Amino acid sequence: MVRSRSSLTLLPLALSLSLGAGCDETEATSDRKSDDSPQLKDDQAAHQGKKKGKHDQKKKDKQDKKDKEDKKEHKKLVKDVRKQVKKHKIEPMPAAPEIRPELVELGQLLAFDKILSGNENISCMTCHHPLLASDDDLHLSIGEGGVGLGVDRTHPEGIFIPRNAPHLFNLHTMDVMFWDGRVRAHADGVTTPAREEVTPEMIEVFEFGAVSAQAMFPVTSRREMRGRLGDNDLSMIRDDNQTPLWEGLMARLGQIDEYRDRFEEAYPGTDFEEMSFAHAANAIAAFEIAGFASNDSPWDQFLRGDDDALSNTELKGAKLFLGDAQCVTCHSGQNLSDLDFHNIALPQFGPGKGQGLFRDDDLGRGGRIGDPALDYHFRTPPLRNTELTGPWGHAGQFADLGEFIAHYIDPIGSLASYDVTQIDPLLQPTLLSNHDAIIATLSPEMAAGLNFTHADVPALVEFMEALTDEAVFDLTHLIPDAVPSGLPVEENVVTDYANRAGTVDVRMGFNTSGAYEMQIWEPSMCEGEAAAQVTFDRNAGTFSVDAQFDGLPYRPTYCYDYNPSNDWNQYPDCVEDGRWQIWIVGRFFTKRSVFWYDGATGQLIANEHDLTGPLPPTAFPLEMPVGQMLCTDFFESDPDTLQASMHAEYDYNGMLDMLGSAGVYFSVLPKNLFNPTDLIVYYTQGGLPPDQAMDFDDVIDDIANDRGGMMVVTSYEPFPKPSYLDARDNIMIGWGGAWPEPLPVLEPPVECGTNFQWDGEFGLAE
């Protein structure tokens, strides 16, 4: 019950740093109003016009300046830039491939149809709108549950998506998708987070490689499109099991005759019943590629041979970009992106990706592939039309393009002096103090900054503006008047979350133990089975767990191979004639609690809830991530059949155990900070006060934010229990299960049918 990769892998480092400082689901319904549609369109047109007007004024000013330019200087600059273009093998942006119209039209409708979202309140284009240069103009996007478009979009709970919405221009040149590269095309097909769930048959459907595969995934994200657990039918599907979700979306589409007809027109010779969501994703990719192709910027004109396409200042910026400033090191190729990953020392804010010590960080590529050396590395963004696609950075860190460019002069200094007031006020309190961790994996080319000065920034900005294709100022033809579902195209759907309720099935197995725990793995358990169901209803205020067992040992005697007791937690050597309990783990290292250490000796004193006397003068507090769990009442199996069933009920908003306590906190931490890699599992003693009780809404939010989920785990306990085990478990573990299910990280040392005790294995991924 102590397995967590992203938090625990950072504990030794964080603790050693701290020592230095311290000794210093009822379905949601949508109110599908469109009465204000004309006004919305007027507002959107005004927003688009304002952006174009600003660009046109800049263009006029540049032309006036261009008319007065030194022709001799211009000729030399052209020669110099063309030399650099040749050196770096930069070619004009190729035209998008020809795509059959039926596929593009299907993709357009799907991309704008809110039927693909769990609560039918958001579409793919909400965050990639044609009126907003294919993004949303926000630092961090606002997903399902939000109302409005672009900077006018708000969420009633102030919820954001962890990253900035990338633009959609020239996706036909892209084989790496998402900021962390979790979808990639290669010679053997595509790599995706869904692994084998994206089948070879699906890959055969993908006509556009990674772009087709990418469109499979926003619909799976709870914060982006799917909704929180209990909001709707799709939200009840386990997060690690995408196939039923994709099947559910195709079932929705299959109920609409127009969609069935359009799918079969787009894929002639294939019946709708034979199609998967890969066909929908492929169509969305077709629309994105055909609709957002952009290859007629002044820079493209220059690359095609027009020496007069760029002004002298733009040429100076291009010369710097390709030459002394070495921007081209990462911004290379047709799209001005190497599609690789770099740490450029950008600050981190927002909800994060469930990574880092407190699971509120975003480790980028490193977090995706489990390589700490690549922490805070993000994909190099392509630069066509970048003038229009701010804010800039993987979290939209910079609101001004010039300031973002200037960041590269002194990345470390810029990180230290970051002006948080430029981001949404709701996001400002979420800025992390993780500068040391970011700098620790800084890309080598960024260590000393790039070779240009603040005086060079205006020329580089003008070169960035020369990457703008004026055709992108009018993409209204990409917006359909209506979609087959009948849901509104406008971003005015207000979601009424009538309730949050449902039942999830937790698959029970033998992969929830680790650390110093004993795994009970009797032959009867291997031959039998167990299952658990968690039922919740927010409106009724109820939460319950039901479990069924076949093969559960009856009052056996078990002894530890070695006693796992430590100075803070005691365990019996053996348990005879015991009983079983179930432990509900609802917060998996997503809460914080203070632990006290002695600054002189480095020794752990106790958790804040366990302090019994005065602290030594050298004591200091250290906030650490903790999990929380609570128990059911005792139960046992029938001695003849070894079958058992169990039912437990709790308050939805205040879960208390049979002792009336809020359960216990547990954490993984060192006994002594001077030896930070010698870890123990610490449990608080005697039960937490009721004001610390778990609220199931918090568990639902953890799941929505990719910060974990819940576990249901059995343990074998002394009966009656000694007081030192009040509210916490004896770590003899039987069946257990998690929802969602994590990938297995520990390999049992024996075959099923043999009990064993782990020897300090914490399940920390490399």
Side-chain angles (χ1 to χ4, degrees):
M1 285 188 285
V2 293
R3 298 159 57 201
S4 173
R5 182 200 98 72
S6 55
S7 294
L8 302 187
T9 50
L10 299 178
L11 277 170
L13 173 61
L15 288 166
S16 60
L17 292 174
S18 297
L19 177 60
C23 306
D24 231 300
E25 193 88 357
T26 320
E27 183 168 332
T29 59
S30 296
D31 184 6
R32 301 165 185 167
K33 298 177 181 178
S34 58
D35 297 340
D36 54 347
S37 172
Q39 182 61 49
L40 278 172
K41 289 185 176 180
D42 288 345
D43 292 345
Q44 294 162 7
H47 180 85
Q48 185 179 24
K50 182 178 179 181
K51 187 176 284 190
K52 187 175 189 303
K54 184 177 180 181
H55 174 83
D56 287 346
Q57 183 59 50
K58 286 184 180 178
K59 181 180 177 183
K60 180 181 182 301
D61 294 342
K62 289 179 184 179
Q63 186 60 49
D64 291 343
K65 186 177 179 181
K66 192 174 180 182
D67 292 340
K68 302 174 184 178
E69 286 179 342
D70 186 319
K71 303 302 180 184
K72 186 176 180 180
E73 181 187 21
H74 183 83
K75 185 175 181 179
K76 183 179 185 307
L77 285 167
V78 167
K79 182 179 179 180
D80 291 344
V81 173
R82 291 206 181 283
K83 183 178 179 180
Q84 292 287 352
V85 166
K86 183 177 180 180
K87 174 183 176 181
H88 296 293
K89 300 179 182 180
I90 296 177
E91 299 177 354
M93 176 64 63
E98 291 292 328
I99 306 174
R100 57 192 181 279
E102 297 86 356
L103 187 63
V104 174
E105 291 168 7
L106 171 62
Q108 177 192 33
L109 295 174
L110 290 169
F112 280 93
D113 203 330
K114 295 176 175 62
I115 198 171
L116 294 186
S117 63
N119 293 321
E120 301 183 351
N121 59 4
I122 188 172
S123 76
C124 301
M125 290 296 105
T126 302
C127 299
H128 302 279
H129 207 280
L131 293 177
L132 301 174
S134 77
D135 62 16
D136 58 11
D137 288 357
L138 297 170
H139 299 277
L140 297 180
S141 295
I142 296 174
E144 83 86 29
V147 181
L149 181 66
V151 296
D152 297 321
R153 186 169 179 82
T154 60
H155 194 288
E157 299 176 48
I159 294 173
F160 293 87
I161 291 171
R163 293 178 182 158
N164 179 264
H167 67 73
L168 303 180
F169 296 115
N170 298 320
L171 294 184
H172 59 291
T173 66
M174 304 286 286
D175 57 15
V176 179
M177 303 297 289
F178 295 107
W179 283 105
D180 58 10
R182 60 187 181 271
V183 173
R184 300 168 65 93
H186 45 78
D188 298 325
V190 295
T191 300
T192 80
R195 299 175 177 85
E196 65 274 3
E197 288 191 80
V198 176
T199 64
E201 293 78 13
M202 290 178 171
I203 293 174
E204 286 184 11
V205 173
F206 296 155
E207 300 174 55
F208 313 104
V211 186
S212 296
Q214 179 275 335
M216 300 283 289
F217 292 98
V219 297
T220 70
S221 168
R222 294 185 179 277
R223 287 299 191 212
E224 291 185 46
M225 297 185 71
R226 183 150 70 112
R228 284 174 286 193
L229 180 66
D231 282 351
N232 58 76
D233 56 338
L234 300 179
S235 77
M236 299 303 296
I237 298 169
R238 215 174 60 231
D239 298 63
D240 57 297
N241 190 12
Q242 312 296 356
T243 301
L245 173 61
W246 292 329
E247 291 173 345
L249 289 170
M250 289 302 287
R252 283 189 182 184
L253 295 173
Q255 293 174 358
I256 301 171
D257 290 342
E258 182 179 350
Y259 269 131
R260 297 177 68 91
D261 293 342
R262 285 187 175 272
F263 269 94
E264 292 178 353
E265 290 168 3
Y267 298 98
T270 304
D271 293 337
F272 182 84
E273 286 76 11
E274 299 173 7
M275 298 185 193
S276 71
F277 193 72
H279 293 80
N282 185 64
I284 293 171
F287 165 65
E288 292 173 341
I289 288 172
F292 295 98
S294 174
N295 66 347
D296 198 29
S297 69
W299 175 243
D300 292 297
Q301 296 164 19
F302 178 82
L303 292 177
R304 290 195 294 263
D306 184 354
D307 287 349
D308 295 324
L310 301 179
S311 70
N312 282 9
T313 304
E314 291 165 341
L315 286 165
K316 289 176 182 177
K319 184 179 177 181
L320 272 167
F321 186 94
L322 301 172
D324 289 345
Q326 287 297 299
C327 307
V328 73
T329 302
C330 303
H331 291 282
S332 57
Q334 298 166 332
N335 228 340
L336 297 181
S337 171
D338 60 2
L339 299 180
D340 206 347
F341 307 91
H342 305 274
N343 177 353
I344 61 172
L346 292 178
Q348 181 60 41
F349 53 80
K353 294 288 288 184
Q355 299 162 345
L357 183 64
F358 293 106
R359 315 198 80 167
D360 56 358
D361 207 342
D362 183 353
L363 301 181
R365 184 65 178 165
R368 169 52 51 185
I369 66 173
D371 183 353
L374 292 179
D375 284 352
Y376 306 106
H377 284 58
F378 295 87
R379 187 195 67 180
T380 305
L383 296 181
R384 284 303 189 288
N385 305 307
T386 191
E387 168 194 5
L388 308 177
T389 59
W392 296 268
H394 70 270
Q397 285 93 340
F398 284 89
D400 181 89
L401 180 57
E403 292 180 5
F404 185 37
I405 293 172
H407 167 83
Y408 288 82
I409 299 172
D410 178 13
I412 295 175
S414 176
L415 174 64
S417 61
Y418 180 70
D419 179 12
V420 73
T421 64
Q422 65 187 295
I423 66 175
D424 191 302
L426 291 174
L427 292 170
Q428 293 175 17
T430 70
L431 182 70
L432 297 182
S433 299
N434 60 350
H435 295 179
D436 290 344
I438 293 173
I439 294 169
T441 62
L442 190 67
S443 294
E445 64 273 11
M446 299 299 295
L450 301 190
N451 186 29
F452 65 95
T453 69
H454 288 277
D456 297 321
V457 170
L460 287 166
V461 170
E462 289 208 24
F463 175 55
M464 293 296 100
E465 293 170 350
L467 302 176
T468 301
D469 182 342
E470 294 206 5
V472 305
F473 284 108
D474 187 8
L475 297 176
T476 54
H477 61 284
L478 298 178
I479 307 171
D481 292 329
V483 291
S485 69
L487 293 167
V489 174
E490 295 81 8
E491 303 304 330
N492 60 351
V493 178
V494 178
T495 307
D496 176 20
Y497 297 101
N499 194 9
R500 189 166 289 145
T503 298
V504 297
D505 294 318
V506 180
R507 297 196 300 188
M508 303 287 275
F510 304 99
N511 59 354
T512 55
S513 65
Y516 304 102
E517 296 170 334
M518 176 180 177
Q519 177 65 64
I520 300 174
W521 218 5
E522 295 283 4
S524 65
M525 301 170 78
C526 303
E527 297 166 2
E529 60 182 355
Q533 304 81 41
V534 173
T535 301
F536 58 95
D537 188 317
R538 184 171 61 171
N539 286 2
T542 58
F543 174 93
S544 64
V545 176
D546 291 271
Q548 307 80 40
F549 304 91
D550 185 0
L552 186 69
Y554 175 78
R555 301 190 185 182
T557 297
Y558 294 128
C559 296
Y560 287 108
D561 294 341
Y562 63 92
N563 193 296
S565 299
N566 55 51
D567 291 343
W568 300 270
N569 299 125
Q570 183 180 348
Y571 298 94
D573 290 320
C574 300
V575 177
E576 182 180 359
D577 289 332
R579 305 291 189 273
W580 295 90
Q581 285 184 297
I582 280 182
W583 296 87
I584 302 159
V585 184
R587 306 296 304 277
F588 207 71
F589 297 103
T590 58
K591 297 195 74 171
R592 301 182 182 211
S593 188
V594 171
F595 291 82
W596 287 86
Y597 280 85
D598 190 321
T601 65
Q603 188 73 9
L604 172 65
I605 299 172
N607 178 268
E608 59 183 325
H609 294 286
D610 294 336
L611 295 174
T612 58
L615 289 164
T618 53
F620 71 95
L622 184 61
E623 189 174 54
M624 294 292 293
V626 295
Q628 187 172 4
M629 65 183 195
L630 75 163
C631 65
T632 67
D633 206 341
F634 298 102
F635 64 95
E636 61 181 337
S637 60
D638 182 283
D640 297 322
T641 65
L642 299 186
Q643 295 179 342
S645 62
M646 189 279 313
H647 173 82
E649 295 185 358
Y650 303 90
D651 289 339
Y652 183 100
N653 300 115
M655 301 168 64
L656 301 177
D657 63 18
M658 62 183 186
L659 302 176
S661 85
V664 298
Y665 289 151
F666 61 91
S667 190
V668 178
L669 67 171
K671 295 180 289 187
N672 192 297
L673 290 180
F674 295 135
N675 188 12
T677 60
D678 183 13
L679 304 176
I680 64 165
V681 183
Y682 183 106
Y683 293 84
T684 56
Q685 302 295 305
L688 294 166
D691 62 3
Q692 299 297 308
M694 285 188 286
D695 184 327
F696 194 63
D697 268 344
D698 293 332
V699 178
I700 288 174
D701 284 339
D702 284 348
I703 294 170
N705 287 321
D706 294 325
R707 294 177 179 168
M710 54 185 164
M711 297 176 69
V712 177
V713 182
T714 58
S715 68
Y716 189 58
E717 304 286 339
F719 187 81
K721 289 180 79 167
S723 59
Y724 62 80
L725 281 177
D726 278 352
R728 69 177 180 89
D729 63 331
N730 179 44
I731 55 175
M732 294 178 172
I733 307 300
W735 270 294
W739 201 100
E741 295 181 4
L743 291 172
V745 292
L746 289 176
E747 191 69 33
V750 297
E751 297 294 326
C752 190
T754 302
N755 302 330
F756 67 93
Q757 186 173 359
W758 295 100
D759 187 14
E761 293 289 339
F762 285 94
L764 307 181
E766 296 296 330

